[in-house]
Coordinates of all heavy atoms in Angstrom, one line a residue:
M1 N 8.2 13.4 0.4 CA 7.7 12.1 -0.2 C 6.3 11.8 0.4 O 6.1 12.0 1.6 CB 8.7 11.0 0.1 CG 8.2 9.7 -0.4 SD 9.1 8.2 0.1 CE 10.7 8.5 -0.5
T2 N 5.4 11.3 -0.4 CA 4.1 10.8 0.0 C 4.1 9.4 -0.2 O 4.4 8.9 -1.3 CB 3.0 11.6 -0.7 OG1 3.1 13.0 -0.5 CG2 1.6 11.0 -0.3
I3 N 3.6 8.6 0.8 CA 3.4 7.2 0.6 C 1.9 7.0 0.6 O 1.2 7.3 1.6 CB 4.1 6.4 1.8 CG1 5.6 6.6 1.7 CG2 3.7 4.9 1.7 CD1 6.3 5.9 2.9
N4 N 1.4 6.5 -0.5 CA 0.0 6.1 -0.6 C -0.1 4.6 -0.3 O 0.5 3.8 -1.0 CB -0.5 6.4 -2.0 CG -0.5 7.9 -2.3 OD1 -0.9 8.7 -1.4 ND2 -0.1 8.3 -3.5
I5 N -1.0 4.3 0.6 CA -1.2 2.9 0.9 C -2.6 2.6 0.4 O -3.6 3.1 0.9 CB -1.1 2.6 2.4 CG1 0.3 2.9 2.9 CG2 -1.5 1.1 2.7 CD1 0.5 2.8 4.4
L6 N -2.6 1.7 -0.7 CA -3.9 1.3 -1.3 C -4.3 0.0 -0.7 O -3.5 -0.9 -0.7 CB -3.8 1.2 -2.8 CG -3.8 2.6 -3.5 CD1 -2.4 3.0 -3.7 CD2 -4.5 2.4 -4.8
M7 N -5.5 -0.1 -0.2 CA -6.0 -1.4 0.3 C -7.3 -1.7 -0.3 O -8.2 -0.8 -0.5 CB -6.2 -1.2 1.8 CG -4.9 -1.0 2.6 SD -5.1 -1.0 4.4 CE -5.8 0.6 4.7
V8 N -7.5 -3.0 -0.7 CA -8.7 -3.4 -1.3 C -9.7 -3.7 -0.2 O -9.4 -4.6 0.6 CB -8.5 -4.6 -2.2 CG1 -9.8 -5.1 -2.8 CG2 -7.5 -4.3 -3.3
G9 N -10.8 -3.0 -0.2 CA -11.8 -3.2 0.8 C -11.5 -2.6 2.1 O -10.4 -2.2 2.3
K10 N -12.4 -2.5 3.0 CA -12.2 -2.0 4.3 C -11.6 -3.0 5.2 O -11.8 -4.2 5.1 CB -13.6 -1.6 5.0 CG -14.2 -0.4 4.3 CD -13.5 0.9 4.7 CE -14.2 2.1 4.1 NZ -13.5 3.3 4.4
N11 N -10.7 -2.6 6.0 CA -10.0 -3.4 6.9 C -10.9 -3.8 8.1 O -11.5 -3.0 8.7 CB -8.7 -2.8 7.5 CG -8.0 -3.6 8.4 OD1 -7.9 -4.8 8.3 ND2 -7.5 -3.0 9.5
K12 N -10.9 -5.1 8.5 CA -11.7 -5.6 9.6 C -10.9 -6.0 10.7 O -11.4 -6.5 11.8 CB -12.6 -6.7 9.1 CG -13.6 -6.2 8.0 CD -14.4 -7.3 7.4 CE -15.3 -6.8 6.3 NZ -14.9 -7.2 5.0
D13 N -9.6 -6.0 10.6 CA -8.7 -6.4 11.7 C -8.1 -5.3 12.5 O -7.4 -4.5 12.0 CB -7.5 -7.2 11.0 CG -6.6 -7.9 12.0 OD1 -6.6 -7.5 13.2 OD2 -5.9 -8.9 11.6
L14 N -8.5 -5.1 13.7 CA -8.1 -4.0 14.6 C -6.6 -4.0 14.8 O -6.0 -2.9 14.9 CB -8.8 -4.1 15.9 CG -10.4 -3.8 15.9 CD1 -10.9 -4.0 17.3 CD2 -10.7 -2.5 15.3
S15 N -5.9 -5.1 14.8 CA -4.5 -5.1 15.0 C -3.8 -4.4 13.8 O -2.8 -3.8 14.0 CB -4.0 -6.5 15.2 OG -4.1 -7.3 14.1
I16 N -4.4 -4.6 12.6 CA -3.8 -4.0 11.4 C -4.0 -2.5 11.5 O -3.1 -1.7 11.2 CB -4.4 -4.6 10.1 CG1 -3.9 -6.0 10.0 CG2 -4.0 -3.7 8.9 CD1 -4.4 -6.7 8.8
D17 N -5.2 -2.0 12.0 CA -5.4 -0.6 12.1 C -4.4 0.0 13.1 O -3.9 1.1 12.9 CB -6.8 -0.3 12.7 CG -7.9 -0.4 11.6 OD1 -7.5 -0.3 10.4 OD2 -9.1 -0.6 11.9
E18 N -4.1 -0.7 14.2 CA -3.2 -0.2 15.2 C -1.8 -0.1 14.6 O -1.0 0.8 14.8 CB -3.2 -1.1 16.4 CG -4.5 -1.0 17.2 CD -4.5 -2.0 18.4 OE1 -3.5 -2.6 18.7 OE2 -5.6 -2.2 18.9
A19 N -1.4 -1.1 13.8 CA -0.1 -1.1 13.2 C 0.1 0.0 12.2 O 1.1 0.7 12.1 CB 0.2 -2.5 12.5
I20 N -1.0 0.3 11.4 CA -1.0 1.4 10.5 C -0.8 2.7 11.2 O 0.0 3.6 10.8 CB -2.2 1.4 9.6 CG1 -2.2 0.2 8.6 CG2 -2.4 2.7 8.8 CD1 -3.5 -0.1 7.9
K21 N -1.6 2.9 12.3 CA -1.5 4.2 13.1 C -0.1 4.3 13.6 O 0.5 5.4 13.6 CB -2.5 4.2 14.2 CG -3.9 4.4 13.7 CD -4.9 4.3 14.8 CE -6.3 4.4 14.2 NZ -7.4 4.2 15.2
S22 N 0.5 3.3 14.1 CA 1.9 3.3 14.7 C 2.9 3.7 13.6 O 3.8 4.5 13.7 CB 2.3 2.0 15.3 OG 3.6 1.9 15.7
F23 N 2.7 3.0 12.4 CA 3.6 3.3 11.2 C 3.5 4.7 10.8 O 4.5 5.4 10.6 CB 3.1 2.3 10.1 CG 3.9 2.4 8.9 CD1 5.2 1.9 8.9 CD2 3.4 2.8 7.7 CE1 6.0 1.9 7.7 CE2 4.1 2.8 6.5 CZ 5.4 2.3 6.5
E24 N 2.3 5.3 10.8 CA 2.0 6.7 10.4 C 2.7 7.6 11.4 O 3.4 8.6 11.0 CB 0.6 7.0 10.4 CG -0.2 6.5 9.2 CD -1.6 6.9 9.2 OE1 -2.4 6.4 10.1 OE2 -2.0 7.8 8.4
K25 N 2.6 7.3 12.7 CA 3.2 8.2 13.7 C 4.7 8.2 13.6 O 5.3 9.3 13.7 CB 2.8 7.7 15.1 CG 3.2 8.5 16.2 CD 2.7 8.0 17.5 CE 3.2 8.8 18.7 NZ 2.7 8.3 20.0
K26 N 5.3 7.1 13.3 CA 6.8 7.0 13.2 C 7.3 7.7 12.0 O 8.4 8.3 12.0 CB 7.2 5.5 13.2 CG 7.1 4.8 14.5 CD 7.4 3.4 14.4 CE 7.1 2.7 15.7 NZ 7.4 1.2 15.7
L27 N 6.5 7.6 10.9 CA 7.0 8.2 9.6 C 6.6 9.7 9.4 O 7.1 10.3 8.5 CB 6.4 7.4 8.5 CG 7.1 6.0 8.3 CD1 6.4 5.3 7.2 CD2 8.5 6.1 8.1
R28 N 5.7 10.2 10.2 CA 5.2 11.5 10.1 C 6.3 12.6 9.9 O 6.1 13.5 9.1 CB 4.2 11.9 11.2 CG 3.3 13.1 10.9 CD 2.3 13.3 12.0 NE 1.3 12.2 11.9 CZ 0.8 11.6 12.9 NH1 1.1 11.9 14.1 NH2 -0.1 10.6 12.8
P29 N 7.4 12.5 10.7 CA 8.4 13.5 10.5 C 9.1 13.5 9.2 O 9.8 14.4 8.8 CB 9.4 13.3 11.6 CG 8.7 12.4 12.6 CD 7.6 11.7 11.8
F30 N 9.0 12.4 8.5 CA 9.8 12.2 7.3 C 9.0 12.2 6.0 O 9.5 12.5 4.9 CB 10.5 10.8 7.3 CG 11.3 10.6 8.6 CD1 10.8 9.8 9.6 CD2 12.5 11.3 8.8 CE1 11.5 9.7 10.8 CE2 13.2 11.2 10.0 CZ 12.7 10.4 11.0
C31 N 7.7 11.9 6.1 CA 6.9 11.8 4.8 C 5.4 11.9 5.2 O 5.1 11.8 6.4 CB 7.2 10.6 4.0 SG 6.8 9.0 4.9
R32 N 4.6 12.0 4.2 CA 3.2 12.1 4.3 C 2.6 10.7 4.0 O 3.1 10.1 3.0 CB 2.6 13.1 3.4 CG 1.2 13.3 3.5 CD 0.7 14.5 2.7 NE -0.7 14.4 2.5 CZ -1.3 14.4 1.4 NH1 -0.7 14.5 0.3 NH2 -2.6 14.3 1.3
I33 N 1.7 10.2 4.8 CA 1.0 8.9 4.5 C -0.4 9.2 4.2 O -1.1 9.9 4.8 CB 1.1 8.0 5.8 CG1 2.5 7.8 6.3 CG2 0.4 6.7 5.5 CD1 3.2 6.7 5.7
R34 N -0.9 8.5 3.1 CA -2.3 8.6 2.7 C -2.8 7.2 2.6 O -2.2 6.3 1.9 CB -2.4 9.3 1.3 CG -2.8 10.7 1.4 CD -3.1 11.3 0.0 NE -3.8 10.4 -0.9 CZ -3.8 10.6 -2.2 NH1 -3.2 11.6 -2.8 NH2 -4.5 9.7 -3.0
L35 N -3.9 6.9 3.3 CA -4.6 5.6 3.2 C -5.7 5.7 2.1 O -6.6 6.6 2.2 CB -5.2 5.2 4.5 CG -4.2 5.0 5.6 CD1 -4.9 4.7 6.9 CD2 -3.2 3.8 5.3
I36 N -5.7 4.8 1.2 CA -6.7 4.8 0.1 C -7.4 3.5 0.1 O -6.7 2.5 0.0 CB -6.1 5.2 -1.2 CG1 -5.4 6.5 -1.2 CG2 -7.2 5.1 -2.3 CD1 -4.5 6.8 -2.4
Y37 N -8.7 3.4 0.3 CA -9.4 2.2 0.3 C -10.1 2.0 -1.1 O -10.8 2.9 -1.5 CB -10.5 2.1 1.4 CG -9.9 2.1 2.8 CD1 -9.7 3.3 3.5 CD2 -9.5 1.0 3.4 CE1 -9.2 3.3 4.7 CE2 -8.9 0.9 4.6 CZ -8.8 2.1 5.3 OH -8.2 2.1 6.6
S38 N -9.8 0.9 -1.7 CA -10.3 0.7 -3.0 C -11.5 -0.3 -2.9 O -11.4 -1.2 -2.0 CB -9.3 0.1 -4.0 OG -9.8 -0.2 -5.2
K39 N -12.5 -0.2 -3.7 CA -13.6 -1.1 -3.6 C -13.2 -2.6 -3.9 O -12.5 -2.8 -4.8 CB -14.6 -0.7 -4.7 CG -15.9 -1.5 -4.7 CD -16.8 -1.1 -5.8 CE -18.0 -2.0 -5.9 NZ -18.8 -1.7 -7.1
D40 N -13.7 -3.4 -3.0 CA -13.5 -4.9 -3.3 C -14.7 -5.4 -4.0 O -15.8 -5.0 -3.7 CB -13.1 -5.6 -2.0 CG -14.2 -5.6 -1.0 OD1 -15.1 -4.7 -1.0 OD2 -14.2 -6.5 -0.1
E41 N -14.4 -6.3 -4.9 CA -15.5 -6.9 -5.7 C -16.0 -8.2 -5.0 O -15.2 -8.9 -4.3 CB -15.0 -7.2 -7.1 CG -14.6 -6.0 -7.9 CD -15.9 -5.2 -8.3 OE1 -16.9 -5.8 -8.6 OE2 -15.8 -4.0 -8.4
R42 N -17.2 -8.5 -5.2 CA -17.8 -9.7 -4.7 C -17.2 -10.8 -5.5 O -17.1 -10.7 -6.8 CB -19.3 -9.7 -4.8 CG -19.9 -8.8 -3.8 CD -21.4 -9.2 -3.6 NE -21.9 -8.5 -2.4 CZ -23.0 -7.9 -2.4 NH1 -23.9 -8.1 -3.4 NH2 -23.4 -7.3 -1.3
V43 N -16.8 -11.9 -4.9 CA -16.3 -13.1 -5.6 C -17.4 -13.7 -6.4 O -18.5 -13.9 -6.0 CB -15.7 -14.1 -4.6 CG1 -15.2 -15.3 -5.4 CG2 -14.7 -13.5 -3.8
T44 N -17.1 -13.9 -7.7 CA -18.1 -14.5 -8.6 C -17.6 -15.9 -9.0 O -16.6 -16.4 -8.5 CB -18.2 -13.6 -9.9 OG1 -16.9 -13.6 -10.6 CG2 -18.6 -12.1 -9.5
D45 N -18.3 -16.4 -10.0 CA -17.9 -17.7 -10.5 C -16.6 -17.6 -11.2 O -15.9 -18.7 -11.4 CB -19.0 -18.2 -11.5 CG -20.3 -18.5 -10.8 OD1 -20.3 -18.8 -9.6 OD2 -21.3 -18.5 -11.5
N46 N -16.2 -16.4 -11.6 CA -15.0 -16.3 -12.4 C -14.0 -15.4 -11.5 O -14.0 -14.2 -11.6 CB -15.2 -15.6 -13.7 CG -14.0 -15.5 -14.6 OD1 -12.9 -15.6 -14.2 ND2 -14.3 -15.2 -15.9
P47 N -13.1 -16.1 -10.7 CA -12.2 -15.3 -9.9 C -11.2 -14.4 -10.6 O -10.8 -13.3 -10.1 CB -11.5 -16.4 -9.1 CG -11.7 -17.7 -9.7 CD -13.0 -17.5 -10.6
V48 N -10.9 -14.8 -11.8 CA -10.0 -13.9 -12.6 C -10.7 -12.6 -13.0 O -10.1 -11.5 -12.9 CB -9.6 -14.7 -13.9 CG1 -8.8 -13.8 -14.9 CG2 -8.7 -15.9 -13.6
K49 N -11.9 -12.7 -13.3 CA -12.7 -11.4 -13.6 C -12.8 -10.5 -12.4 O -12.7 -9.3 -12.5 CB -14.0 -11.8 -14.2 CG -14.8 -10.6 -14.8 CD -15.9 -11.1 -15.7 CE -16.5 -10.0 -16.5 NZ -16.1 -10.0 -17.9
T50 N -13.0 -11.2 -11.2 CA -13.1 -10.4 -10.0 C -11.8 -9.7 -9.7 O -11.8 -8.5 -9.4 CB -13.4 -11.4 -8.8 OG1 -14.6 -12.1 -9.1 CG2 -13.5 -10.6 -7.5
L51 N -10.6 -10.4 -9.9 CA -9.3 -9.7 -9.7 C -9.1 -8.6 -10.7 O -8.5 -7.6 -10.4 CB -8.2 -10.8 -9.7 CG -8.2 -11.8 -8.6 CD1 -7.1 -12.8 -8.8 CD2 -7.9 -11.1 -7.3
E52 N -9.5 -8.8 -11.9 CA -9.4 -7.8 -13.0 C -10.1 -6.5 -12.6 O -9.6 -5.4 -12.8 CB -9.8 -8.3 -14.3 CG -8.9 -9.3 -14.9 CD -9.4 -10.0 -16.2 OE1 -10.6 -9.8 -16.5 OE2 -8.6 -10.7 -16.9
K53 N -11.3 -6.7 -12.1 CA -12.1 -5.5 -11.6 C -11.4 -4.8 -10.5 O -11.4 -3.6 -10.5 CB -13.5 -5.9 -11.3 CG -14.4 -6.3 -12.4 CD -15.8 -6.6 -12.0 CE -16.7 -6.9 -13.2 NZ -18.1 -7.2 -12.8
E54 N -10.9 -5.6 -9.5 CA -10.2 -4.9 -8.4 C -9.0 -4.2 -8.9 O -8.7 -3.1 -8.4 CB -9.9 -6.0 -7.3 CG -11.1 -6.4 -6.5 CD -10.7 -7.5 -5.5 OE1 -9.6 -8.0 -5.4 OE2 -11.6 -7.7 -4.6
A55 N -8.3 -4.8 -9.9 CA -7.1 -4.2 -10.4 C -7.5 -2.8 -11.1 O -6.7 -1.8 -11.0 CB -6.4 -5.1 -11.4
E56 N -8.6 -2.8 -11.8 CA -9.1 -1.5 -12.4 C -9.3 -0.5 -11.3 O -8.9 0.7 -11.5 CB -10.4 -1.8 -13.2 CG -10.2 -2.6 -14.4 CD -11.5 -2.9 -15.1 OE1 -12.6 -2.4 -14.7 OE2 -11.5 -3.8 -16.0
H57 N -9.9 -0.8 -10.2 CA -10.1 0.1 -9.1 C -8.8 0.7 -8.6 O -8.7 1.9 -8.3 CB -10.9 -0.5 -8.0 CG -12.3 -0.9 -8.3 ND1 -13.3 0.0 -8.7 CD2 -13.0 -2.1 -8.3 CE1 -14.4 -0.6 -9.0 NE2 -14.2 -1.9 -8.7
I58 N -7.8 -0.2 -8.4 CA -6.5 0.2 -7.9 C -5.8 1.1 -8.9 O -5.3 2.2 -8.5 CB -5.7 -1.0 -7.6 CG1 -6.2 -1.8 -6.4 CG2 -4.2 -0.6 -7.4 CD1 -5.6 -3.1 -6.1
E59 N -5.9 0.8 -10.2 CA -5.1 1.5 -11.2 C -5.6 3.0 -11.3 O -4.9 3.9 -11.7 CB -5.3 0.8 -12.6 CG -4.4 -0.4 -12.6 CD -4.6 -1.2 -13.9 OE1 -5.6 -0.9 -14.7 OE2 -3.8 -2.1 -14.1
R60 N -6.9 3.2 -10.9 CA -7.4 4.6 -10.9 C -6.7 5.5 -10.0 O -6.7 6.7 -10.2 CB -8.9 4.6 -10.6 CG -9.8 4.0 -11.6 CD -11.2 4.1 -11.2 NE -12.0 3.2 -12.1 CZ -13.0 2.5 -11.7 NH1 -13.5 2.6 -10.5 NH2 -13.6 1.7 -12.6
H61 N -6.0 4.9 -9.0 CA -5.3 5.7 -8.0 C -3.8 5.9 -8.3 O -3.1 6.6 -7.6 CB -5.5 5.1 -6.6 CG -6.9 5.1 -6.1 ND1 -7.6 6.2 -5.7 CD2 -7.8 4.1 -6.0 CE1 -8.8 5.9 -5.3 NE2 -9.0 4.6 -5.6
L62 N -3.4 5.2 -9.3 CA -1.9 5.3 -9.6 C -1.6 6.4 -10.7 O -2.4 6.6 -11.6 CB -1.5 3.9 -10.2 CG -1.7 2.7 -9.3 CD1 -1.3 1.4 -10.0 CD2 -0.9 2.8 -8.0
Q63 N -0.5 7.0 -10.5 CA -0.1 8.1 -11.4 C 1.2 7.6 -12.1 O 2.0 6.8 -11.6 CB 0.3 9.3 -10.6 CG -0.8 9.9 -9.7 CD -2.0 10.3 -10.5 OE1 -1.8 11.0 -11.6 NE2 -3.2 10.0 -10.1
P64 N 1.4 8.1 -13.3 CA 2.6 7.8 -14.1 C 3.8 8.2 -13.2 O 3.8 9.3 -12.6 CB 2.5 8.6 -15.3 CG 1.1 9.0 -15.5 CD 0.5 9.0 -14.1
G65 N 4.8 7.4 -13.2 CA 6.0 7.7 -12.4 C 5.9 7.2 -10.9 O 6.9 7.3 -10.2
D66 N 4.8 6.8 -10.5 CA 4.7 6.3 -9.1 C 5.5 5.0 -9.0 O 5.6 4.2 -9.9 CB 3.2 5.9 -8.8 CG 2.4 7.1 -8.4 OD1 2.9 8.2 -8.3 OD2 1.1 6.9 -8.3
F67 N 6.2 4.9 -7.9 CA 6.9 3.6 -7.6 C 5.9 2.7 -6.8 O 5.4 3.2 -5.8 CB 8.2 3.9 -6.8 CG 9.0 2.7 -6.6 CD1 9.9 2.3 -7.6 CD2 8.9 1.9 -5.5 CE1 10.7 1.2 -7.4 CE2 9.6 0.8 -5.3 CZ 10.5 0.4 -6.3
K68 N 5.8 1.5 -7.2 CA 4.8 0.7 -6.6 C 5.5 -0.4 -5.8 O 6.4 -1.0 -6.2 CB 3.9 0.0 -7.7 CG 3.0 1.0 -8.4 CD 3.1 0.7 -9.9 CE 2.6 1.8 -10.7 NZ 3.7 2.6 -11.4
V69 N 4.9 -0.7 -4.6 CA 5.4 -1.8 -3.7 C 4.2 -2.6 -3.3 O 3.2 -2.0 -2.9 CB 6.1 -1.2 -2.5 CG1 6.5 -2.4 -1.5 CG2 7.3 -0.4 -2.8
V70 N 4.2 -3.9 -3.5 CA 3.1 -4.7 -3.2 C 3.5 -5.4 -1.9 O 4.5 -6.0 -1.8 CB 2.8 -5.7 -4.3 CG1 1.7 -6.7 -3.9 CG2 2.4 -5.0 -5.6
L71 N 2.6 -5.3 -0.9 CA 2.9 -6.1 0.4 C 2.1 -7.4 0.3 O 0.8 -7.3 0.2 CB 2.4 -5.2 1.6 CG 3.1 -3.8 1.7 CD1 2.6 -3.1 2.9 CD2 4.6 -4.0 1.7
D72 N 2.8 -8.4 0.4 CA 2.2 -9.8 0.3 C 2.9 -10.7 1.1 O 4.2 -10.7 1.2 CB 2.3 -10.2 -1.2 CG 1.6 -11.5 -1.5 OD1 0.4 -11.5 -1.6 OD2 2.3 -12.5 -1.5
E73 N 2.2 -11.6 1.8 CA 2.9 -12.6 2.7 C 3.9 -13.5 2.0 O 4.7 -14.1 2.6 CB 1.9 -13.4 3.5 CG 1.0 -14.3 2.7 CD -0.3 -13.8 2.2 OE1 -0.6 -12.6 2.5 OE2 -1.1 -14.5 1.7
R74 N 3.8 -13.6 0.6 CA 4.7 -14.4 -0.1 C 5.9 -13.7 -0.6 O 6.8 -14.2 -1.3 CB 4.0 -15.1 -1.3 CG 2.9 -16.0 -0.8 CD 2.0 -16.4 -2.0 NE 1.4 -15.1 -2.4 CZ 0.3 -15.0 -3.1 NH1 -0.4 -16.1 -3.5 NH2 -0.2 -13.9 -3.5
G75 N 6.0 -12.4 -0.3 CA 7.0 -11.5 -0.9 C 8.3 -11.5 0.0 O 8.4 -12.3 0.9
K76 N 9.2 -10.6 -0.3 CA 10.5 -10.5 0.4 C 10.2 -9.9 1.8 O 9.4 -8.9 1.9 CB 11.4 -9.6 -0.4 CG 12.8 -9.5 0.3 CD 13.7 -8.6 -0.5 CE 15.0 -8.5 0.2 NZ 16.0 -7.7 -0.5
L77 N 10.8 -10.5 2.8 CA 10.7 -10.0 4.1 C 11.8 -9.0 4.4 O 13.0 -9.2 4.2 CB 10.7 -11.1 5.1 CG 10.5 -10.8 6.6 CD1 9.1 -10.3 6.8 CD2 10.7 -12.0 7.4
F78 N 11.4 -7.8 4.9 CA 12.3 -6.7 5.3 C 12.3 -6.5 6.8 O 11.2 -6.6 7.4 CB 11.9 -5.4 4.7 CG 12.2 -5.2 3.2 CD1 11.2 -5.4 2.3 CD2 13.4 -4.8 2.8 CE1 11.4 -5.2 0.9 CE2 13.7 -4.6 1.4 CZ 12.7 -4.8 0.5
S79 N 13.5 -6.3 7.4 CA 13.5 -5.8 8.7 C 13.1 -4.3 8.7 O 13.1 -3.7 7.6 CB 14.9 -6.0 9.3 OG 15.8 -5.1 8.7
T80 N 12.9 -3.7 9.8 CA 12.6 -2.3 9.9 C 13.7 -1.5 9.2 O 13.5 -0.6 8.5 CB 12.3 -1.9 11.3 OG1 11.3 -2.6 11.8 CG2 12.0 -0.4 11.4
L81 N 14.9 -1.8 9.6 CA 16.1 -1.1 9.1 C 16.2 -1.3 7.5 O 16.5 -0.3 6.8 CB 17.4 -1.6 9.7 CG 18.7 -0.9 9.4 CD1 18.5 0.6 9.7 CD2 19.8 -1.4 10.2
E82 N 16.0 -2.5 7.0 CA 16.1 -2.7 5.6 C 15.0 -1.9 4.9 O 15.2 -1.4 3.8 CB 15.9 -4.2 5.3 CG 17.1 -5.1 5.7 CD 16.8 -6.5 5.6 OE1 15.7 -7.0 5.8 OE2 17.8 -7.3 5.3
F83 N 13.8 -1.9 5.5 CA 12.7 -1.2 4.8 C 13.0 0.3 4.8 O 12.7 1.0 3.8 CB 11.4 -1.5 5.6 CG 10.1 -1.3 4.8 CD1 10.0 -2.0 3.6 CD2 9.1 -0.5 5.3 CE1 8.8 -1.8 2.9 CE2 7.9 -0.4 4.6 CZ 7.8 -1.0 3.4
T84 N 13.6 0.8 5.9 CA 14.0 2.2 5.9 C 15.0 2.5 4.9 O 14.9 3.6 4.2 CB 14.6 2.6 7.3 OG1 13.6 2.3 8.3 CG2 15.0 4.0 7.4
R85 N 16.0 1.7 4.7 CA 17.0 1.9 3.7 C 16.4 1.8 2.3 O 16.7 2.6 1.4 CB 18.1 0.8 3.8 CG 19.0 1.0 4.9 CD 20.2 0.0 4.8 NE 21.0 0.1 6.0 CZ 21.3 -0.9 6.8 NH1 21.0 -2.2 6.4 NH2 22.1 -0.8 7.9
F86 N 15.4 0.9 2.1 CA 14.7 0.8 0.8 C 14.1 2.1 0.4 O 14.3 2.6 -0.7 CB 13.7 -0.3 0.9 CG 12.8 -0.5 -0.3 CD1 13.3 -1.1 -1.4 CD2 11.5 0.0 -0.3 CE1 12.5 -1.3 -2.5 CE2 10.7 -0.2 -1.4 CZ 11.2 -0.8 -2.5
F87 N 13.4 2.8 1.4 CA 12.7 4.0 1.1 C 13.7 5.2 1.0 O 13.5 6.1 0.2 CB 11.6 4.3 2.1 CG 10.3 3.6 1.8 CD1 9.9 2.5 2.6 CD2 9.5 4.1 0.8 CE1 8.8 1.9 2.3 CE2 8.3 3.4 0.5 CZ 8.0 2.3 1.3
S88 N 14.8 5.1 1.7 CA 15.8 6.2 1.6 C 16.4 6.1 0.3 O 16.7 7.2 -0.4 CB 16.9 6.0 2.7 OG 16.4 6.2 4.0
D89 N 16.7 4.9 -0.2 CA 17.3 4.8 -1.6 C 16.3 5.3 -2.6 O 16.7 6.0 -3.6 CB 17.6 3.3 -1.9 CG 18.8 2.8 -1.0 OD1 19.5 3.7 -0.4 OD2 19.0 1.6 -1.0
L90 N 15.0 5.1 -2.5 CA 14.0 5.6 -3.4 C 14.0 7.1 -3.4 O 14.0 7.7 -4.5 CB 12.6 5.1 -3.0 CG 12.2 3.7 -3.4 CD1 10.8 3.4 -2.9 CD2 12.3 3.5 -4.9
E91 N 14.1 7.7 -2.2 CA 14.1 9.2 -2.1 C 15.3 9.7 -2.8 O 15.2 10.8 -3.5 CB 14.0 9.6 -0.7 CG 13.7 11.1 -0.5 CD 13.5 11.4 1.0 OE1 14.1 10.8 1.8 OE2 12.6 12.3 1.1
L92 N 16.5 9.1 -2.7 CA 17.7 9.6 -3.3 C 17.6 9.5 -4.8 O 18.1 10.4 -5.6 CB 18.9 8.8 -2.8 CG 19.3 9.1 -1.4 CD1 20.4 8.1 -1.0 CD2 19.8 10.5 -1.2
E93 N 16.9 8.4 -5.3 CA 16.8 8.3 -6.8 C 15.9 9.4 -7.3 O 16.0 9.7 -8.5 CB 16.2 6.9 -7.1 CG 17.1 5.8 -6.9 CD 16.5 4.4 -7.2 OE1 15.4 4.4 -7.8 OE2 17.1 3.4 -6.8
E94 N 14.9 9.9 -6.6 CA 14.0 10.9 -7.0 C 14.7 12.2 -7.3 O 14.3 13.1 -8.0 CB 12.8 11.1 -6.0 CG 11.8 10.0 -6.0 CD 10.7 10.3 -5.1 OE1 10.7 11.3 -4.3 OE2 9.8 9.5 -5.0
K95 N 15.8 12.5 -6.5 CA 16.5 13.8 -6.6 C 17.4 13.9 -7.8 O 17.8 13.1 -8.5 CB 17.3 14.0 -5.3 CG 16.3 14.2 -4.2 CD 17.1 14.4 -2.9 CE 16.1 14.5 -1.8 NZ 16.7 14.8 -0.5

């Protein structure tokens, strides 16, 4: 399994870089991790248009049949064990 992590714009937070490296190291025996940075758009007078352009950049990296997970602070919170189970279930569904 390959996990593609798409991020809009370059990351400027060193603690996030460290967390990603730790995450990659832990998952390396089980799957491949690819980091993909998508261009972030400058905020314009029309924020909807800005988001639409960023969505277009992201969609270029998506393939038919990809399972998409959005990480957002307003989303569902998983413990490490729950997140592991989530991906294990995905892998079983692929077979």
Side-chain angles (χ1 to χ4, degrees):
M1 176 191 301
T2 299
I3 297 174
N4 295 318
I5 300 174
L6 283 92
M7 295 185 283
V8 177
K10 290 287 183 181
N11 178 38
K12 296 173 181 111
D13 186 338
L14 293 178
S15 65
I16 291 176
D17 281 341
E18 290 173 17
I20 291 170
K21 287 176 186 173
S22 173
F23 184 67
E24 283 182 289
K25 185 177 178 181
K26 289 176 185 175
L27 290 177
R28 196 170 291 136
F30 308 104
C31 63
R32 185 172 162 237
I33 304 270
R34 260 184 41 197
L35 297 175
I36 302 167
Y37 295 93
S38 179
K39 179 182 177 188
D40 61 339
E41 292 292 323
R42 288 200 171 140
V43 178
T44 64
D45 295 337
N46 186 344
V48 172
K49 191 164 191 105
T50 302
L51 291 174
E52 287 173 350
K53 285 184 180 182
E54 286 181 350
E56 288 173 14
H57 294 300
I58 290 170
E59 287 173 350
R60 290 183 194 142
H61 298 285
L62 301 176
Q63 301 296 318
D66 282 353
F67 187 86
K68 296 133 194 105
V69 176
V70 177
L71 302 180
D72 183 81
E73 66 266 7
R74 297 166 298 202
K76 181 179 179 182
L77 183 63
F78 284 100
S79 69
T80 301
L81 187 56
E82 289 169 328
F83 206 54
T84 302
R85 284 188 189 132
F86 175 77
F87 278 105
S88 293
D89 291 346
L90 282 179
E91 192 171 35
L92 291 173
E93 287 177 16
E94 286 182 356
K95 293 180 181 181

